[in-house]
Each structure stands twice: as structure tokens, then as C-alpha cells.
């Protein structure tokens, strides 16, 4: 009887320990209070006001930034004795795509080799495009950095997988601290100072995140952040890049401290790809009309790098909840990305932009062994490099708008457009 009681006590003790450990593992992460709905429009980064735009509310501010960028460009030209007509305004939009960002990195390197890569007046980026955009913005001097990042990293450089319990009761399936360390290695004060110098020339670098509380896209003026020389500018710059690439559920959201009506709050930001895969500026802003109102006539050229294939990727789906949900999400992202290309094409046609689109050809059939598979990324980088080095065959319209033979020779699928606005640059 004594032995039975002792065994029971031991069993109860062990069960108590297991329950306590379970509850500890299940403790959900905490956060500060979200910005109340009524104060959304007042929320600012203390000391760094005016560095971002809520696309549904801040269109006037976006227009002013575009006009100011043009004035800075004209001032720079006068100061350096540059005369004659304004050169073409060249825009570059870099999409999301995870490890498929290796394609865009390779394309940019190959474009430099081809000898006709322009200096871009505006560069925009979302998700992996946000990680690429600052280096693309600064030009060929950072090609080696792009190559190193997209051809040498492996999953251990990006994330640490969490346990099943931590995934279920935490805020993500993986910890992205390795990605933070990788980013901090390359995104430093020297890079920020170089970006600030380009801002004074009238150039703009923009990155999108998604404010999950407000369910809105947020556009961050990265050039203005860099040019502020604020003591927290570098930290905010890095934070936004990580936020834009924080795939919901896979990586933790990024919490950003803001102030509204004299009180402190916290916004939850995730991957910009939650609202769009690629962007340029709002459809409601007619860049051509605004420029003409200022007496400016110039050519405008748009390049889009879509870090994805555009054709359907067939696969037999298991009749299991997670398999079905995963496949549906991938399909949504795929079709959303094609829709973004349609929307941008219509804006470009209206505003007289020369539309140029690059994307991963259907002939690329290398399979990943895992996410951020080094071999996969190297081969994709090499593909982008080879295609660009010999003169990239830019598609002049999204899939479905032109006959197959007049675009990049790929198997394509078309879907209707989605929407996300962003400020103009001229």
C-alpha cells in the first residue's frame, strides 16, 4: 500500500511537471496595445514623421514627395552643369518570391555585364524584393553583395525552426534571428549614407509592408529615412526590410512602436506580399498629367522583375487539410502576382510608360530540396544572369495581353488585377 501511494505521488508529481512545462510552452507572445481605429491616421514614428504613407489616406503626401523629388533632380542638374532635355525617368519594381529572389539578383548582375543597365529614378520592393531593392538602387557597386547573399545562404542563415508546440502557441513556425544577423552584416551606416546621397539627387527607394492590425499596405520612403540622419534611422531601415519579408505564420511579425494623440502604441507589420506582390504608384495618381502641369515632358520607362514563374505549376494534392490549405495559399499568391502585373500594365499604358517585364521561364524546372536551397538559388541566379547578360528579352505586356510569340517564350496564365497604390517619382 505504501508503495502504491508512493508511486501515485511520483506519478502526480511528474504529471504536474509535464503540465507546467506544457503551459509554459503554450504561453502566447504579448504585445503593446494596437493603434485604435480612430487614431490610425495620426500614428507616426516619433522623430521620423513623414517617412511613410498609408496608401488609402496619404496620396497628397505621396504626390508632394514626387514633386519634391523632381525639384531635387532639377537642382542637382543645375549644380552640376547638366543641360538639355531631362533624360528618361526609369522605374524598377522588384517583386516578392522568397528564395526566387535569386533570379532578380542574377538578372541585375547580368544586366550590368550587358552594359546597358540604367540608373533608376524609383526603385520599389516587396518581401524578397525589399531585401534586394536597396542594393539594386545603389547600382552595380553592390552586385557582388547581391550575388553573395543569393548564392551562398542556406536555411540556417535565414531561420531556426521552432518545435510543434512553440509553432502552435507562438507567433510563427520559425525564428528569423539568423536573417536579422545576415541583414545587419550588409545594411549598415555606410549603405544608409550612400542612399541618403541619392535622395538629394531626386531618386526614391520605397518598400512596402502590411499593417496587419489596420489591414492596410504601408509604403515606407527608405530614402527619406536614410536622409533624416536620425539616430534610429538605421534600426528602422533594417526593421522595415525584415518586416516586408516576414511571411505571416512562417516568420514572426515585426512590432513597430508608434505614437498617436500623445500616447504610445504598437503596430504589427508583416510581409508586404500580404497585400501585393509588386507595385509602382497608385492608379488614382496620373503621373503624366501631374508632370505636364509642371511643364515637364520626358520619356518614362518601367522595368518589373517578377521573382516567380507565371505559368501554373501542376502538382497532385493530397486530400489532407494542411496540403489543401498550403496549395490554396500558393495559388492565391500566384494569381495575385499576375493580377498585379495587369494593374501595373494598365497604369503604364495610361501614363505613357514603356512597360518591360521579366519573370522566371517555365523551362526552369530545378526542384528545391528545401526552402532556401543553396543549389536551387545558385542555378536560378545563373539563369537570370545568363538571360540578362546576352540582352534580356523583356516582355512588353503581361501574360494574355499580347500573342505568345511577342513576349518572353513561356507558358503563361492570366488572372484579373488586384490593387496597391504607391507614390510616384519622376
Amino acid at each position: 500500500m505504501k508503495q502504491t501511494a508512493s508511486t501515485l505521488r511520483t506519478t502526480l508529481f511528474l504529471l504536474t511537471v509535464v503540465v507546467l512545462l506544457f503551459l509554459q510552452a503554450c504561453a502566447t507572445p504579448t504585445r503593446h496595445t494596437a493603434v485604435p481605429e480612430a487614431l490610425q491616421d495620426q500614428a507616426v514614428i516619433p522623430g521620423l514623421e513623414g517617412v511613410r504613407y498609408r496608401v488609402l489616406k496619404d496620396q497628397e503626401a505621396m504626390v508632394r514627395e514626387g514633386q519634391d523629388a523632381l525639384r531635387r533632380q532639377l537642382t542637382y542638374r543645375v549644380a552640376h552643369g547638366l543641360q538639355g532635355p531631362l533624360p528618361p525617368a526609369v522605374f524598377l519594381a522588384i517583386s516578392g518570391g522568397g528564395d526566387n529572389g535569386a533570379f532578380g539578383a542574377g538578372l541585375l548582375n547580368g544586366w550590368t555585364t550587358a552594359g546597358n543597365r540604367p540608373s533608376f529614378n524609383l526603385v520599389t520592393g516587396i518581401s524578397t524584393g525589399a531585401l534586394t531593392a536597396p542594393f539594386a538602387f545603389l547600382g552595380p557597386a553592390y552586385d557582388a553583395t547581391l550575388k553573395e547573399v543569393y548564392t551562398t545562404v542556406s536555411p540556417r542563415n535565414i531561420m531556426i525552426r521552432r518545435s510543434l508546440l512553440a509553432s502552435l502557441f507562438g507567433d510563427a513556425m520559425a525564428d528569423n534571428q539568423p536573417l536579422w544577423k545576415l541583414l545587419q552584416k550588409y545594411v549598415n551606416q555606410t549603405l544608409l549614407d550612400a542612399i541618403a546621397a541619392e535622395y538629394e539627387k531626386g531618386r526614391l527607394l520605397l518598400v512596402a509592408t502590411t499593417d496587419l492590425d489596420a489591414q492596410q499596405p504601408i509604403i515606407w520612403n527608405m530614402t527619406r529615412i536614410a536622409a533624416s540622419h536620425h539616430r534610429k534611422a538605421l534600426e528602422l531601415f533594417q526593421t522595415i526590410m525584415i518586416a516586408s519579408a516576414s511571411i505571416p505564420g512562417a516568420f514572426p511579425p515585426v512590432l513597430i512602436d508608434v505614437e498617436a494623440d500623445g500616447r504610445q502604441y504598437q503596430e504589427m507589420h508583416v510581409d508586404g506580399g500580404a497585400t501585393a506582390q509588386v507595385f509602382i504608384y497608385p492608379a488614382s495618381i496620373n503621373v503624366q498629367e501631374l508632370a505636364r502641369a509642371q511643364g515637364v515632358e520626358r520619356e518614362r520607362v518601367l522595368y518589373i522583375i517578377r521573382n516567380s514563374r507565371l505559368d501554373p505549376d501542376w502538382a497532385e494534392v493530397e486530400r489532407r487539410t494542411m496540403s489543401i490549405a498550403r496549395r490554396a495559399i500558393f495559388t492565391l499568391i500566384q494569381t495575385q502576382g499576375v493580377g498585379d502585373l495587369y494593374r501595373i500594365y494598365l497604369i503604364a499604358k495610361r501614363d505613357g510608360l514603356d512597360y518591360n517585364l521579366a519573370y522566371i521561364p517555365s523551362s526552369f524546372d530545378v526542384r528545391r530540396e528545401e526552402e532556401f536551397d543553396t543549389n536551387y538559388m545558385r542555378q536560378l541566379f545563373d539563369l537570370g544572369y545568363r538571360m540578362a547578360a546576352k540582352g534580356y528579352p523583356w516582355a512588353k505586356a503581361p501574360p494574355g495581353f499580347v500573342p505568345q510569340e511577342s513576349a518572353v517564350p513561356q507558358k503563361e496564365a492570366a488572372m484579373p488585377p488586384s490593387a496597391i497604390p504607391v507614390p510616384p517619382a519622376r
Side-chain angles (χ1 to χ4, degrees):
M1 185 73 178
K2 288 183 180 179
Q3 186 177 4
T4 303
S6 176
T7 301
L8 180 60
R9 284 195 299 271
T10 302
T11 302
L12 289 173
F13 173 76
L14 291 174
L15 283 173
T16 302
V17 170
V18 169
V19 170
L20 289 173
L21 288 173
F22 179 80
L23 291 174
Q24 184 177 9
C26 296
T28 55
T30 59
R31 59 167 294 185
H32 294 311
T33 306
V35 181
E37 184 176 4
L39 299 179
Q40 288 290 313
D41 298 343
Q42 299 180 36
V44 296
I45 311 296
L48 285 161
E49 296 81 1
V51 299
R52 65 182 192 163
Y53 314 101
R54 292 187 175 276
V55 297
L56 301 178
K57 297 288 186 179
D58 297 331
Q59 293 193 22
E60 289 185 7
M62 291 188 264
V63 169
R64 285 196 301 272
E65 182 61 67
Q67 293 170 337
D68 289 344
L70 176 59
R71 281 192 286 271
R72 289 194 301 273
Q73 183 181 6
L74 295 174
T75 300
Y76 178 83
R77 286 175 60 81
V78 170
H80 290 78
L82 300 174
Q83 300 179 351
L86 281 172
V90 187
F91 306 157
L92 173 66
I94 311 174
S95 84
D99 52 10
N100 281 334
F103 172 73
L107 191 154
L108 288 163
N109 272 257
W111 203 349
T112 299
T113 299
N116 60 350
R117 176 177 164 181
S119 173
F120 305 107
N121 297 71
L122 168 68
V123 176
T124 70
I126 277 183
S127 197
T128 194
L131 301 180
T132 303
F135 306 108
F137 179 79
L138 291 176
Y142 284 83
D143 280 358
T145 300
L146 280 175
K147 182 177 181 179
E148 181 177 348
V149 170
Y150 281 99
T151 62
T152 64
V153 301
S154 64
R156 65 184 180 84
N157 302 118
I158 305 297
M159 59 188 172
I160 301 171
R161 297 189 185 280
R162 292 175 172 172
S163 68
L164 178 60
L165 277 179
S167 298
L168 290 175
F169 295 97
D171 58 4
M173 292 185 293
D175 189 331
N176 60 355
Q177 279 303 310
L179 179 59
W180 275 98
K181 291 180 181 178
L182 184 68
L183 183 76
Q184 289 164 350
K185 175 182 175 182
Y186 296 105
V187 179
N188 51 33
Q189 191 59 50
T190 300
L191 180 135
L192 230 64
D193 291 342
I195 289 174
E198 297 305 310
Y199 181 70
E200 296 306 319
K201 299 176 185 177
R203 301 178 63 211
L204 293 175
L205 169 64
L206 306 171
V207 163
T209 64
T210 299
D211 181 339
L212 209 54
D213 297 314
Q215 215 172 30
Q216 286 187 43
I218 304 295
I219 306 304
W220 299 84
N221 189 334
M222 306 296 273
T223 26
R224 189 162 181 172
I225 292 172
S228 73
H229 301 293
H230 191 277
R231 60 185 177 83
K232 291 188 176 181
L234 178 58
E235 178 186 352
L236 179 62
F237 196 102
Q238 295 168 338
T239 298
I240 293 163
M241 290 180 67
I242 291 290
S244 186
S246 293
I247 303 168
F251 298 134
V254 173
L255 299 172
I256 297 180
D257 294 326
V258 297
E259 185 178 291
D261 194 27
R263 295 185 179 182
Q264 304 300 312
Y265 297 101
Q266 208 168 52
E267 296 174 345
M268 180 180 287
H269 288 256
V270 298
D271 198 321
T275 42
Q277 294 300 307
V278 64
F279 68 97
I280 48 168
Y281 57 82
S284 59
I285 297 176
N286 190 315
V287 167
Q288 187 163 245
E289 285 187 0
L290 288 169
R292 284 175 177 168
Q294 292 183 283
V296 175
E297 291 287 346
R298 69 191 306 185
E299 182 184 352
R300 293 179 183 83
V301 183
L302 169 65
Y303 294 98
I304 303 169
I305 299 176
R306 177 69 181 109
N307 290 304
S308 175
R309 285 171 48 168
L310 299 186
D311 59 304
D313 184 18
W314 187 92
E316 183 174 355
V317 182
E318 292 183 65
R319 192 174 177 179
R320 295 178 181 274
T321 301
M322 292 306 296
S323 295
I324 294 168
R326 178 183 174 86
R327 183 67 170 174
I329 290 170
F330 284 168
T331 301
L332 176 63
I333 293 171
Q334 172 79 3
T335 54
Q336 176 199 40
V338 175
D340 291 334
L341 300 178
Y342 274 52
R343 171 183 46 78
I344 294 173
Y345 178 76
L346 295 176
I347 294 172
K349 294 296 288 184
R350 182 197 67 188
D351 292 354
L353 277 71
D354 179 22
Y355 183 100
N356 298 273
L357 170 65
Y359 52 93
I360 301 172
S362 58
S363 57
F364 182 77
D365 57 2
V366 177
R367 293 294 175 182
R368 298 178 182 86
E369 296 298 323
E370 58 184 341
E371 293 296 325
F372 303 101
D373 178 345
T374 307
N375 177 62
Y376 173 84
M377 289 191 292
R378 284 175 179 169
Q379 295 202 48
L380 192 51
F381 179 95
D382 289 343
L383 172 68
Y385 179 89
R386 291 194 306 271
M387 293 183 74
K390 65 182 181 181
Y392 193 88
W394 296 93
K396 303 304 293 184
F401 267 75
V402 292
Q404 179 72 27
E405 59 271 18
S406 63
V408 182
Q410 304 182 48
K411 183 180 176 184
E412 300 165 341
M415 291 297 293
S418 61
I420 177 177
V422 79
R426 286 182 283 276

